[in-house]
Amino acid sequence: MAFATLYQNTIAANLCVECGACAAVCPVKAISYLPHETGSDPVLTGKCVGAKCGLCYGACPGAEVPMAELEKHLFGRERDCRTIEKQLGVFKSAYVGRAFDPELISRGASGAVVTAVLLYALEHGIIDAAVVTGPDREKPWLGRPVVAVTREQLINAAGSKYNSVRQIAGLEEAVARGCKKIAVVGTPCVIHAIRKMQFKDPYQKLVQYITLTIGLWCSTRFTAHGTAFLIQNRLGVPLDEVKDFTYRAKPWPDQFQVTTKDNRVVGEPWLSLNIAGRLTGPFKPAGCEDCLDATAELADLSMGDSWGHPLASPEELSRGNFYTTTIIRNEKAAKIFQAARQAGYIACQSVPQADTTFITRNNGAVITKIHGNAPKVRLKARRGLPTRNYTAR
Ligand SMILES: Cc1cc2nc3c(=O)[nH]c(=O)nc-3n(C[C@H](O)[C@H](O)[C@H](O)COP(=O)(O)OP(=O)(O)OC[C@H]3O[C@@H](n4cnc5c(N)ncnc54)[C@H](O)[C@@H]3O)c2cc1C
């Protein structure tokens, strides 16, 4: 197992998810990345240690994610496929809610519950850092990993950046800075990488300080090229004039929005076919085509939009009432979430497992992955093409 294996089984097979794990674990720092504009591929820029190493391929979630094995390690059991767990993963409880703090709500993608839970954990010593995603300083339409250690940094990173972000590079930075209680926020693929590493000795230096994982539900990410294309061609703003960018600026209907260097605000509703529809179609990265995990099934807490829940009706959203749905998957996460609730960081109501049809019917993540990607992946496998192997799923 060497970089050549990673190249053959993941990168050349169109299965790379750009999580950053391979470069972070390489003991001789021989792996770096092509720029986003040219596809973000990991490339060998140093001398690979070769067959006696294999750490990059062992951490990579591109070609293989042993779901059943990891579920047993993490939750003590595999999901019950006779229930909604077949689509949502191991499920302890779920809540629809939002942050109490209006500043958080104004900055969050939906109900800002991710930021509120992280803030509670930071302010109560449960974590000393959170690996979140902020805008790239030079190219604000791209996300970059940020190690947040203050309230201000957490709030500045709130909101969704719908492109591929190498969160494992952020984890590496947090460890290098001496953080000992780290929360990581990531899309399902980032959580897969973490979980693949957590139960194997050689990766402990990188993953041993993770105390909480928050997974974001995810229908797909968008290529850097796609976002840049829409900014230029749909909003008519040249990239060198972009000062700030957000995929979903409030108030409702969320705007795909640029602030230019001369302070003009130019946007278009996020959910219009021209924005979300175009991004999810032609600008989906190849590695997302094989993803079958809609709700970050291996995270401690998994959070997404509450589309379709009565609390998140268009009327409520237009009144500024945004909501996040949280799936709690284990006892540790339940304790942190309930403590944040009791301390007044979040307000929420419980969603019994039987009432989760609003997720499976309406959420773009479930529709894209379970109903869209799954049949295509089965077809690829039947034709002998490389696909991601979710062992025993
Ligand atoms: C690529 C992507 C696709 C998504 N697709 C769906 C979907 O189909 N359906 C759905 O219901 N929800 C989806 N979500 C989740 C949704 O956009 C919100 O993040 C979620 O509802 C939580 O909202 P919030 O207001 O509680 O989060 P906030 O309080 O705004 O916090 C969001 C946190 O996520 C971090 N973050 C932002 N972008 C990234 C990123 N790319 N990688 C890692 N961390 C990041 C932020 O830094 C922040 O810490 C997606 C998110 C992403 C990043």
Side-chain angles (χ1 to χ4, degrees), residues 55-381:
L55 289 182
C56 58
Y57 190 61
C60 172
E64 194 188 351
V65 184
M67 276 314 235
E69 185 191 326
L70 290 172
E71 282 177 353
K72 274 194 258 168
H73 269 306
L74 290 161
F75 311 121
R77 67 176 175 91
E78 287 177 41
R79 74 187 63 194
D80 181 350
C81 284
R82 296 163 304 176
T83 70
I84 201 70
E85 289 194 352
K86 187 172 191 316
Q87 295 181 39
L88 302 183
V90 170
F91 180 107
K92 189 171 169 54
S93 52
Y95 292 85
V96 169
R98 57 192 176 124
F100 258 120
D101 185 334
E103 187 185 4
L104 266 56
I105 299 247
S106 71
R107 303 289 291 274
S110 40
V113 175
V114 174
T115 305
V117 168
L118 292 174
L119 194 57
Y120 167 79
L122 192 65
E123 292 181 343
H124 290 76
I126 297 164
I127 60 172
D128 56 16
V131 180
V132 290
T133 295
D136 185 84
R137 287 187 202 92
E138 270 146 40
K139 298 177 181 171
W141 58 95
L142 300 177
R144 72 175 167 101
V146 167
V147 179
V149 296
T150 65
R151 172 189 165 93
E152 195 191 0
Q153 288 167 343
L154 272 182
I155 293 178
N156 283 343
S160 293
K161 289 84 186 171
Y162 289 112
N163 35 31
S164 310
V165 185
R166 292 179 208 119
Q167 290 296 87
I168 307 296
L171 172 63
E172 190 184 14
E173 183 192 328
V175 172
R177 282 166 57 176
C179 305
K180 294 280 188 275
K181 293 180 280 181
I182 304 169
V184 183
V185 181
T187 44
C189 47
V190 165
I191 306 296
H192 296 162
I194 289 174
R195 296 316 198 188
K196 279 190 78 171
M197 291 188 279
Q198 264 181 325
F199 301 104
K200 292 185 192 148
D201 285 343
Y203 302 110
Q204 291 312 305
K205 201 172 122 202
L206 183 65
V207 295
Q208 66 182 317
Y209 300 117
I210 297 176
T211 53
L212 180 68
T213 54
I214 299 187
L216 304 175
W217 304 4
C218 180
S219 45
T220 181
R221 295 164 307 166
F222 312 129
T223 60
H225 170 72
T227 306
F229 175 86
L230 288 180
I231 290 174
Q232 294 170 104
N233 293 285
R234 190 72 213 165
L235 303 187
V237 179
L239 293 180
D240 59 5
E241 285 179 23
V242 177
K243 183 171 82 180
D244 283 323
F245 165 74
T246 167
Y247 282 98
R248 288 172 54 179
K250 288 173 173 167
W252 181 258
D254 303 355
Q255 299 279 313
F256 179 89
Q257 183 176 292
V258 160
T259 305
T260 62
K261 288 180 180 159
D262 58 359
N263 292 322
R264 277 184 309 125
V265 176
V266 190
E268 193 172 306
W270 162 244
L271 285 180
S272 79
L273 252 192
N274 285 324
I275 302 296
R278 285 190 188 188
L279 281 172
T280 48
F283 299 119
K284 188 171 175 177
C288 297
E289 299 276 359
D290 285 65
C291 184
L292 302 183
D293 182 349
T295 56
E297 294 165 358
L298 298 180
D300 299 316
L301 292 169
S302 303
M303 306 213 198
D305 295 308
S306 302
W307 315 124
H309 189 274
L311 275 180
S313 64
E315 297 74 38
E316 283 300 309
L317 292 168
S318 54
R319 281 190 212 114
N321 295 326
F322 295 86
Y323 292 90
T324 307
T325 302
T326 303
I327 298 176
I328 298 174
R329 303 199 189 272
N330 58 26
E331 193 53 41
K332 172 183 72 175
K335 274 195 189 139
I336 296 174
F337 188 85
Q338 295 304 350
R341 191 179 176 195
Q342 271 155 24
Y345 283 70
I346 40 181
C348 57
Q349 72 179 49
S350 160
V351 181
Q353 196 175 141
D355 292 348
T356 48
T357 46
F358 80 92
I359 303 173
T360 50
R361 284 198 190 142
N362 299 296
N363 201 281
V366 176
I367 292 166
T368 307
K369 303 234 171 126
I370 313 287
H371 303 292
N373 287 2
K376 287 189 247 169
V377 169
R378 282 197 294 271
L379 189 64
K380 275 172 84 176

